[in-house]
């Protein structure tokens, strides 16, 4: 019987995808193609147009998200490339809170007239649908960074499609193991590969995946000429990370659930935001279409912003740093960043749960909470 990769479970696909074809003495792993140019006559031509190492990483991401994938030098480069295919002054409907880098980019694009942005509360399904008429793009991020709001993806994607509005979903927090927007009908799914897919906090990369060949060609051309390409070494490292992504993610999601439960009964914590908690305002919606609840949670401490900074500084296992999705747990007070939205509470701590033993993490969190 011939091997059918699309019949495999995702944890298997992460291991089998993006390998060189089998032959006697063929390489098991893609090699790192360090070339700025290629002998004439082939499909690649030049190092800004294509690279064999990128292709292997791209096919592995496609094996998880579906469609065809393009990788970029960072998540923000992927998002900028996605926005760049719209004409000047195009209208975008986007969440009024989400990853601060995207919020900054959208605000800048709106101020310069590059895009007209209609900011909406993405957890308010009717408000999002009401703001769609006449828009060119619905940009969704769910769950949102760092407030963990959940957008009603299946309904919003169908509504945008019915109105012939392109839908793009930032799937960084959820990943393909939680939800697959392309299967729900989205046109493009974006990942900050920097986070869970690569998983070791040692590189930056972004990806866009689409099942629409016309859109793929547009995006590929955009990458060729805006030049925001990934380095071959980063592509190789990311693929190495993807091999263990399902294993890491499963462990981190389990630990995140346990920590969310324990934090929600801690006297120094006033609120925990994690869609997996039955008491969370987003839970009823999340269970409808999310297969896991992710490995990032946010909580508000009983205390000030300064107490939050002290908390993050006083942990010995969890590192006080921005970013998320690595094997090592990280936390930070999001409002320490001037670009973070004022709608994010000053005392909100975002915790990215890594792969350490959950009891060690809990002991560290308890010690740190005792210090404030
Ligand atoms: C980190 C992040 C990005 C940006 O990705 P970079 O790789 O840092 O450029 C975009 N969206 C979300 C939700 C993120 O967490």
């Amino acid at each position: 019987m011939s091997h059918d990769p699309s019949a495999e479970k995702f944890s298997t696909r992460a291991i089998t995808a993006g390998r060189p074809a089998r032959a006697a003495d063929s390489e098991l792993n893609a090699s790192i193609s360090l070339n700025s140019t290629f002998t004439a006559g082939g499909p690649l031509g030049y190092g800004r147009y294509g690279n064999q190492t990128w292709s292997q990483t791209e096919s592995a991401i496609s094996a998880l998200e579906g469609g065809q994938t393009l990788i970029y030098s960072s998540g923000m480069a992927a998002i900028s490339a996605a926005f760049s295919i719209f004409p000047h002054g195009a209208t975008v409907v986007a969440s009024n809170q989400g990853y601060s880098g995207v919020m900054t980019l959208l605000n800048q694009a709106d101020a310069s007239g590059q895009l007209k942005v209609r900011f909406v509360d993405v957890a308010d399904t009717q408000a999002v649908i009401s703001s769609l008429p006449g828009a060119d793009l619905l940009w969704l991020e769910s769950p949102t960074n760092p407030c963990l709001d959940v957008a009603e993806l299946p309904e919003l994607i169908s509504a945008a499609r019915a109105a012939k509005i392109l839908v793009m979903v930032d799937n960084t927090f959820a990943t393909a193991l939680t939800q697959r927007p392309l299967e729900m009908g989205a046109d493009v799914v974006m990942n900050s590969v920097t986070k869970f897919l690569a998983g070791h906090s040692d590189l930056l990369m972004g990806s866009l995946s689409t099942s629409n060949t016309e859109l793929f060609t547009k995006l590929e051309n955009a990458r060729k000429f805006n030049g925001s390409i990934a380095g071959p070494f980063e592509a190789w490292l990311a693929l190495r990370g993807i091999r263990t992504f399902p294993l890491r993610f499963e462990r981190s999601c389990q630990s995140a659930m346990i920590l969310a439960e324990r934090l929600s009964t801690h006297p120094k914590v006033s609120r925990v935001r994690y869609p997996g908690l039955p008491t969370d305002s987003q839970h009823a919606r999340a269970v409808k279409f999310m297969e896991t609840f992710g490995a990032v949670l946010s909580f508000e401490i009983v205390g000030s912003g300064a107490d939050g900074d002290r908390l993050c500084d006083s942990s010995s296992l969890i590192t006080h740093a921005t970013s998320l999705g690595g094997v090592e747990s990280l936390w930070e007070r999001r409002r320490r960043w001037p670009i973070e939205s004022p709608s994010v509470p000053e005392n909100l701590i975002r915790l990215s749960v890594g792969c350490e033993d959950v009891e060690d993490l809990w002991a560290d969190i308890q010690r740190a909470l005792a210090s404030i």
Side-chain angles (χ1 to χ4, degrees):
M1 242 168 58
S2 73
H3 173 233
D4 174 13
S6 64
E8 290 170 355
K9 301 277 188 276
F10 287 96
S11 53
T12 305
R13 293 185 202 184
I15 291 169
T16 57
R19 302 246 181 221
R22 278 191 199 178
D25 273 346
S26 63
E27 295 180 320
L28 189 62
N29 296 302
S31 6
I32 307 177
S33 171
L34 295 170
N35 295 287
S36 63
T37 192
F38 305 97
T39 306
L44 298 178
Y46 183 53
R48 185 163 21 81
Y49 301 165
N51 174 289
Q52 287 97 343
T53 319
W54 300 351
S55 305
Q56 305 283 10
T57 305
E58 288 167 343
S59 62
I61 296 171
S62 290
L64 301 172
E65 289 285 7
Q68 278 183 284
T69 298
L70 292 158
I71 55 171
Y72 297 81
S73 52
S74 67
M76 287 308 297
I79 296 169
S80 300
F83 291 163
S84 79
I85 64 169
F86 292 90
H88 188 90
T91 298
V92 181
V93 173
S95 172
N96 58 14
Q97 57 103 358
Y99 178 61
S100 56
V102 179
M103 302 308 294
T104 305
L105 184 69
L106 285 171
N107 278 312
Q108 283 172 354
D110 189 63
S112 72
Q114 181 65 36
L115 296 172
K116 288 197 216 49
V117 189
R118 296 179 187 161
F119 289 106
V120 290
D121 173 0
V122 85
D124 182 344
T125 304
Q126 279 319 311
V128 181
I129 292 175
S130 313
S131 58
L132 289 178
D136 301 286
L137 168 66
L138 172 60
W139 176 264
L140 295 169
E141 174 185 321
S142 182
T144 59
N145 181 358
C147 288
L148 284 306
D149 278 351
V150 173
E152 183 84 46
L153 288 185
E155 195 176 334
L156 293 177
I157 291 169
S158 317
R161 273 180 77 91
K164 304 217 179 327
I165 296 165
L166 287 183
V167 193
M168 302 191 180
V169 180
D170 181 338
N171 210 25
T172 301
F173 265 42
T175 82
L177 298 183
T178 297
Q179 60 197 18
R180 287 171 296 283
L182 296 185
E183 288 177 6
M184 299 178 193
D187 298 282
V188 174
V189 60
M190 175 269 161
N191 277 283
S192 169
V193 179
T194 311
K195 314 289 171 55
F196 292 103
L197 289 170
H200 295 76
S201 307
D202 51 8
L203 64 95
L204 279 100
M205 186 177 295
S207 69
L208 298 176
S209 308
T210 178
S211 307
N212 176 330
T213 45
E214 200 183 315
L215 210 50
F216 180 82
T217 306
K218 259 193 198 173
L219 291 167
E220 190 176 31
N221 271 318
R223 183 179 67 178
K224 277 181 183 170
F225 303 111
N226 74 21
S228 55
I229 57 168
F233 182 57
E234 281 75 9
W236 183 88
L237 270 181
L239 182 54
R240 192 184 212 271
I242 288 170
R243 301 295 180 221
T244 55
F245 155 61
L247 211 56
R248 291 183 279 103
F249 195 65
E250 189 184 341
R251 167 65 166 263
S252 294
C253 291
Q254 276 168 5
S255 299
M257 186 70 213
I258 294 169
L259 296 175
E261 280 167 354
R262 293 186 187 175
L263 279 165
S264 54
T265 62
H266 196 285
K268 288 192 179 156
V269 173
S270 56
R271 178 174 177 188
V272 178
R273 299 173 190 239
Y274 183 66
L277 276 182
T279 49
D280 189 88
S281 62
Q282 311 297 300
H283 183 72
R285 175 175 293 159
V287 291
K288 289 196 279 181
F289 61 90
M290 291 171 70
E291 291 171 36
T292 72
F293 304 106
V296 180
L297 60 93
S298 291
F299 60 96
E300 289 157 46
I301 54 162
V302 178
S304 63
D307 292 325
D309 290 333
R310 200 141 14 90
L311 171 84
C312 294
D313 275 335
S314 60
S315 52
S316 51
L317 176 57
I318 302 172
T319 302
H320 183 187
T322 196
S323 199
L324 54 107
V327 289
E328 58 292 298
S329 298
L330 306 178
W331 62 4
E332 69 169 335
R333 187 177 69 85
R334 281 302 295 174
R335 286 291 298 283
R336 77 189 173 96
W337 297 98
I339 60 164
E340 186 55 272
S341 163
S343 65
V344 175
E346 280 285 357
N347 59 348
L348 180 140
I349 310 296
R350 186 187 69 194
L351 169 62
S352 169
V353 181
C355 295
E356 304 91 340
D357 186 277
V358 69
E359 296 305 333
D360 289 333
L361 288 172
W362 180 237
D364 192 49
I365 293 169
Q366 280 182 299
R367 268 193 311 268
L369 280 167
S371 75
I372 60 164

